[in-house]
Amino acid sequence: MLVSVLLWAALEMQRSPYATYQDVAQAQPVPFSHQHHVAGDGIDCRYCHTSVETSGFAGIPPTKTCMNCHSQIWTNAPLLEPVRESYRTGKSLMWTRVDYLPDFVYFDHSIHINKGVGCASCHGPVDKMPLTYAANSLQMEWCLNCHRAPEYFLRPRDQVFNMKYEQPSSDNPVKLADGSVFTDQIALGNELKHRYNVRSVEGITSCNTCHR
Amino acid sequence: MSQGPEEKTGLLDAPWQDEPPVLTPGQSYGSVTDQIADAVLTRPIGLGWLAGLAIGMGLVALLGAAVTYLFLVGVGIWGINIPVGWGFAIINFVWWIGIGHAGTLISAILLLLKQTWRNSINRFAEAMTLFAVACAGMFPLLHMGRPWLGYWMFPYPNSMGVWPQFRSPLVWDVFAVSTYATISAVFWYVGLVPDFATMREKAQSRYTKSIYGLLAMGWRGSARHWKRYEALYILLAGLATPLVLSVHTVVSFDFAISIVPGWHTTIFPPYFVAGAIYSGFAMVLVLAIPIRHFYGLQNMITMRHLQNSAKIMLATGLIVAYGYIFEAFIAFYSGSTYERFMMENRWFGPYAVFYWALILLNLVVPQVLWIPKVRANTTWLFLISLVILVGMWLERFIIIITSLSRDFLPSSWGHYVATRWDYAVFAGTLGFFAAAIFIFIRIMPAISIFEMRQLLPESEVKAK
Amino acid sequence: MSHKALSPAIYGLIAEFDTSTELVEAAQAAYAAGYRKMDAYSPFPIEEASDAIGFHKSRVPLVVLLGGLLGGLSGFGLQYWINVIAYPLNIGGKPYDSWPAFIVPTFEMTILFAGLSGMFGMFALNGLPMPYHPLFHVEQFSRVTRDKFFLCVEAADPKFDIVDTQRFMQSLKPVSIAEVPH
Amino acid sequence: MEKESPNKPEAVCPGKLELAEVKQKLARAKSGPQYWRSLEELAQTDGFYEMLHREFPRQASVWPEGSPRRDFLKLMSASMALAGLAGCVKLPLEPIVPYVRQPDEIVLGRPLFFASAMPFGAYATPVLVESHEGRPTKIEGNPDHPAGLGGSDVFAQASILDMYDPDRSQTITYRGAMSTWSAFTEALKGPLNSEKAVSGSGLRILSRPFSSPTMASLMEAVQAAYPESKWVKYEPVNRDNVRAGSQLAFGEFVETRYNLGKADIILSLDGDFLSSGFPGFLYYARTFAARRNPDLKEKMSRFYSVESTPTNTGGKADHRLPVRASEVAQVASAIAARLGVGSGATAKPEHQKFVTALVKDLQAHKGAAVVIPGDNQPPAVHALAHAMNAALGAVGNTVIYTDTVEVKPQIQTDALKELFGDMNAGKVDLLVILGSNPVYDAPADFEFAKAMDKVPLRVQYGLYQDETYDHVHWHINGTHYLEEWGDGHAFDGTVTITQPLVAPLYNAKSAYEFIFSLVGSSEMAGYDIVRKYWQGQMKGGDFDAAWRKAVHDGFVANTAFPSKNVSAKGPTLSPTTGDKGGAPDTEVMFRRDPLIYDGSRANNAWLQETPKPVINLCWDNAVLISPATAKKRGLVTGDVVEIDINGRKVKGPIWPQPAHPNDSITVFLGYGRTKGGRVADGVGFDAYEIRTSDAPWIANAKITKVGSGYGFADPQGFQYIDYSDLPKGTEPLKNRHIIRKATLADFIQNPNFAHEEEESVPPEMTLYYPYQYTELKWGMTIDMNSCIGCKTCIVACQAENNIPVVGKEQTMRGRQMQWLRVDTYYEGGTENPAVYYQPVPCQQCENAPCEVVCPVGATVHSTEGLNDMVYNRCVGTRYCSNNCPYKVRRFNFLLWQDWTTPQYKMMRNPEVSIRSRGVMEKCTYCIQRITHGRITAEKENRSVRDGEVITACQQACPAGAIVFGNLNDKDSRVSKIKAQQRNYSLLEDLNTRPRTTYMAVVQNPNPELEQSESS
């Protein structure tokens, strides 16, 4: 009895935000607001995360990228002092990672984007995050949800960076470049799986897909 | 189910021999009860006992130290390497598990075979089983590279979405050994309940009284209870019998399932089980002979028990011998070049001396048990039992080390040399076992009281 | 009639015997005399005794059987689900459903569940653990765990009458008779 | 810049396409200097270091023992239950440290490739260097380079570790105390001026020989500034004999180049041309292997080897004649005589048969035969070889003479002797030592240290504060070739450019900058020095373009030296024997170590731990002796003997080595370092102590037993495929069909020989339906006929896959970690056995025995047929290894990864998990490279091209013996090879169905000699 209770508690704890930091906003040197920059200013993800389409690593913007704008606007907002200081001294800003993967997991951004996995699918509604937090647990079982049934999540490539994108439904049909219209995610997903020739489920649930 | 001594029809009671009795005459319900219970309740703590316990505890401390160092530094402190990935840890595991088997055999199988003489030795035989399994159980965990992840062997819904790999004999081991441990414990405890009641009543101090009372769960010997109790007891025996056979079979699968020459053979299951009982009874004698001597239980654990055990050792020993012979025969009959080389390597290879020692200790020496005089001499029995225990340990050494050290590709042949840490851990478990036994005989009735009562002639209900 | 009122005050009457034979005979006699709510107590199991008091079959075997079945099915089910449905993996070129390999754990699970359900079933049916019982008040009853045999006729028995029953018990030539208070 | 080429595949390995991309990158970079400054600037920011240490998630471990987490877990592992749960639950927060200004060419998470060159001896070895975020992480061969042909050698592969070696000298010192560059230049002004006054008569520069034109120009500048000064070039493993030989033959120094591609008959006179470090090794290995393909039928070449110390070269010979080094001369002259060269001695009776058959064969192949003398053979033998080659009409066909690649060659020992004399005579006021370590490796009869101490001012420029360091005033820490600009000539003369991959870790000066500072009034950056020189050379046309191309390609096309007309002057004197000194008893043969060379590589743990070719000994040098002689003298393995050459003594342990000539011993140079670094020090014994200038290669010595019980680390368990030292009558190992071989003749009439004896298992023997691999299906073949046993693949694998080293003691316990091993088997007694090399990586069995027994499913099959090893799932039961018939799995018995040294963090390949204590690991077919190729292909909506994924071992193999690819693609090279009949799999009868298969050995013995084979 006691044993099973403890076991259950352990399993719960293991999945709890305490362990995964899911939905926990981290303190950052600069309280950077994705909400403001993405929703407000309408800046595209790729402006800062430059290598997301070409490399496994999405890329953290160098201080220079911040200064591109902030040398013009908010030039002396005290909030941005750390940024300016970093630029002056050449000392890097030390951000705290919010979307954390263990070191033995090899995640490649470019291929996911190429296969029509939206940023939001993993990172959540970044455009609604005043302070950034991990929207998902990023635990293996969570990854497997999609790797076992991609059709539930795929979206057209041109919608990958669209934060407003919603899955097709009768009142929200999704139109592909070639004009075909979908009102049902499964149908769309299967079509995209075919078009983007996504590997077989056995293939993308093979261990070496993520672990080396 | 109980029967008097006069109508003995047990397998092992050869009619042409006049047997010593199971229970010396002149006993009564009261006398057996008192004698057994008092050994625990009133008998003063002897120096011998203290010394024994001290030694045991000392070795347990050694075990603790060795294990701590092991976890901090890694299994590299042992002699294992590539190709010999398994060393003392697995040898000891198999050895201890084997020893456990005799206990279950006595308590379960002999019960089913209506061998009432087992009533006087089943209790501590079962205790022995439990402690041996506990010792064995440590090793699979200790020998892991990352023991703190040992729980991955059990199926539980983890956040990784992955499960144990059920094709692996190691997972079978996990199931078999844990089940075996559990069922043995159940069997043992169920058997103890009525005796705990006795202790409850006999105990003087409030303190001990309440403890035994707790354990007895309010047992009051109602006929209805006895009825259900007996039903369960028989059923447990019926469950434990296939279980005990399965456990060493599964352990032998660890080897038989693999493709290593010298491991990959179908004869392993029966020959492992036989070997297990062989070493198990050896351990029973190694324990029984001193206990009956020091606690003056000669009238309950009589020569009869010792002789029967000796006969069983002789029988199982011959099965084991058959195993050895057949291993060799198959090696050549199979025509497999690897098998042949394996056998020749055992005979002439770097570990040949151990092989021949094994043959001497396990096959040759025990043959003296054919001689009734030897079976009747406790000293001889004790020594032979020790010899067999060593021999059986060597058998596992031979199987594991020689087979691994020279397998398929000559380029990757290796050599295994145990380190002091290997010995430390082994000695530690021996100490743990000894300490456990010493404590057990001080706090629990070492002989099943209520089953002893059944051995008394007056326990019979005379139909008029 | 009058003293019938007293009957609830006590749990029952208990008679003490020296041998199992006497106990069994006593029990048979009591049963013949029409007593039903009674029980025999002995230091070791006596088959005849339970028969004598009219208790013929226990339900323990059934419990064990059900436990075993449950264990076996869940054992195999778990393995099948894991290997074929939850996460099929190519292990050394073996098929997902390599059932021969699943037999061992299935077997062990069967034994485990059967054994555990057996033990808990037995205790449950026996109403154990029961730290308190009226009989424990009876001084000589403590010897039931040593060398004495007892027959207890409970007051709850419709035919129970403190006087008649006592008289009847005397006829069984017990070593002693005692009232068992609540 | 990535935006410009979004779809370009990543340069995971230098196939054409990737190079094309690197080209673009460089073309786009405005011009060299700025391009590089960007990296230097980046290198100086703290951000850079912070990033190196923390940014890259791939700098990772098998969690839960990751670098930041390990301490935390150490605590936990004490109390298991806790560690168990907590360990699997709580992830610690990690910082991310971005750049401040990100250099254009760097795309986070994607490697770049740069061509460069490793100066080795007097030659430049072309390489291609992989760089992650500005950290060089892996050396590969440069496929475009005419002298490299894409292969590489152990030294190139291991050089990456040299660069990150924490023992490297990190600062300038004066009399042992930290100092600065400016202090040094100040301090030297005076002495230099006074030297100027006496036109440098007191200035001596001691350097290693080099081929760098720029350095040559600097050398001239020094001569100009200090006319009387002398520049001495010396290396202990020198080619004096070669030089002297060519002088004997031609009266001048010439470079000899062989064209094995044209050679039908090859005769080696102790010529070790198939081992790393031999000039032109890469080229020879590739061309030799090409001609050993039995499908060429009678065009397959035949190789005779007259050899003293057994080498992997001799192991490839169809006929090998083991003789003492001093006897080679005699055999050579006997052969020469038969060829009408010189009035040679007659061969010993036991050599007659060999010589006769050989000569016949040579004469039958005039114009297509070649004689290759060894560097350790006396000049006379070289002269003879030249003459023989002439007589065989080899010159112009299989032998080409050119100008020497080395700049201003000299007889180095003589030059050093002169310097020694001058120092003793007090003629030297200022001694500048450039990268050499004379105190350790100068001939014993020059007590160099003593002489040196007589020099008033001594300056050392070098990478290590080594033995010589104790005897100098100034020590200037030098740059590794990956940190400096430079140039050189490949063995064929091709101009080869060295470009830095990273700014000097300990901001050191390059040798060029250093020498320049001695002559130049002002200082100049290495880049400018080299570029300026070439600006002078590349006249006409657009220099910038030409220069960029040169830098990018790593070489200048068609700059190989033209062949030179020289004629051997007449029949040379017929030599008697090799150089000798000392009382005759046992002949000592000094040899450079096959792996740590002359000792300069001694601090490289990868090289130390790699088993030496053929000998399979690591972490030691030994006294090699033939088993027969050992028996005769009552010596057994591990006995310690004292070698006495004219009173100079050294003690070394005995190692009976099959195929070693009798009555002689071999000692490898380069061990017994005292100030070589944490790895080098105290390993082996120092043979330089008994090596004198008059007998640098062959000497006579007395050996006496002085001890015993020395323990060796020899990873390979058992080397005889036939009986030898197994109890007689035991089941013959031959029946395992591990090595399958035939003679060319047999092969031609029975191409299927490889499958005759085996009882191969029909696929239907299994109960189960075989798993269908529909997607990619990876497989590998290893051609044992091409494999030359040089072990380069092992080091390449170690570098690529972050494989730790375990040290001698652990290797002795049988816990070496290298994923790939090269099994070496002997057959036919110990006198002169046939030798076979068999590289064994994970066989990637389709019916993998290891997978079935893993209790946690840590090793399972992928849909591409890979036997995945999931480190992070492994609990370490080691059952998989027990059940692996090939024993290719490696286990982290202890914590062997170095988590603390920052240099190593920078060195590791970020694409590969770093395994920690308690987990199993093994060859993955370079899964990181496969994944890369697959993802790249998928992003371009195409299937993976053949040759797009190249494993590290395949890339490194100089002989091209390893081929990897997709078996579902019927046109892939690997499928084609697997279709051949020579193809077989190891332990086939176990029905493990390996994906790695072998091409059986086919030898091409001379029918006349066949009978006498196998002593």
Side-chain angles (χ1 to χ4, degrees), chain A:
Chain A
M1 209 26 61
L2 185 69
V3 177
S4 47
V5 169
L6 283 176
L7 186 64
W8 174 83
L11 293 178
E12 281 308 304
M13 171 176 148
Q14 167 192 20
R15 293 177 169 83
S16 69
Y18 164 77
T20 63
Y21 301 111
Q22 187 176 352
D23 306 331
V24 181
Q26 301 297 346
Q28 302 288 5
V30 182
F32 176 83
S33 162
H34 274 92
Q35 183 177 42
H36 169 74
H37 288 83
V38 179
D41 305 345
I43 300 175
D44 186 278
C45 312
R46 286 161 288 187
Y47 180 78
C48 300
H49 305 290
T50 48
S51 54
V52 71
E53 286 175 302
T54 51
S55 159
F57 191 66
I60 303 294
T63 316
K64 172 110 176 28
T65 312
C66 312
M67 292 307 284
N68 289 348
C69 297
H70 288 294
S71 51
Q72 318 299 332
I73 54 173
W74 303 110
T75 40
N76 38 24
L79 211 58
L80 297 178
E81 180 47 27
V83 181
R84 290 191 296 270
E85 193 211 345
S86 152
Y87 200 60
R88 272 198 312 276
T89 60
K91 249 187 156 311
S92 300
L93 282 164
M94 281 253 201
W95 302 97
T96 306
R97 195 179 279 277
V98 289
D99 283 308
Y100 177 91
L101 281 178
D103 300 336
F104 50 74
V105 180
Y106 289 76
F107 177 85
D108 187 302
H109 277 91
S110 62
I111 193 64
H112 284 82
I113 287 183
N114 181 276
K115 301 284 179 187
V117 179
C119 302
S121 304
C122 303
H123 295 292
V126 174
D127 59 335
K128 299 185 184 57
M129 297 184 187
L131 275 179
T132 317
Y133 56 87
N136 293 294
S137 73
L138 302 194
Q139 284 173 319
M140 181 168 168
E141 58 183 359
W142 174 82
C143 300
L144 284 170
N145 291 340
C146 183
H147 276 235
R148 281 171 178 161
E151 59 274 17
Y152 286 86
F153 304 91
L154 296 185
R155 56 172 75 177
R157 278 193 187 127
D158 54 13
Q159 297 300 323
V160 164
F161 298 96
N162 175 3
M163 281 296 149
K164 303 268 174 299
Y165 174 84
E166 283 166 17
Q167 292 204 333
S169 60
S170 45
D171 47 0
N172 169 38
V174 168
K175 196 154 174 293
L176 294 191
D178 67 353
S180 51
V181 178
F182 292 87
T183 58
D184 161 37
Q185 173 58 34
I186 307 304
L188 174 67
N190 285 320
E191 173 62 17
L192 292 180
K193 241 168 80 182
H194 172 66
R195 288 196 190 185
Y196 301 159
N197 48 45
V198 175
R199 288 166 67 206
S200 69
V201 167
E202 290 76 14
I204 55 179
T205 52
S206 283
C207 302
N208 73 28
T209 309
C210 309
H211 303 298
R212 315 171 182 163

Side-chain angles (χ1 to χ4, degrees), chain C residues 6-12 132-135 137 155-156 179-182:
Chain C
L6 299 172
S7 49
I10 60 168
Y11 171 80
Y132 170 80
H133 194 278
L135 284 170
H137 289 302
E179 286 190 357
V180 185
H182 270 299

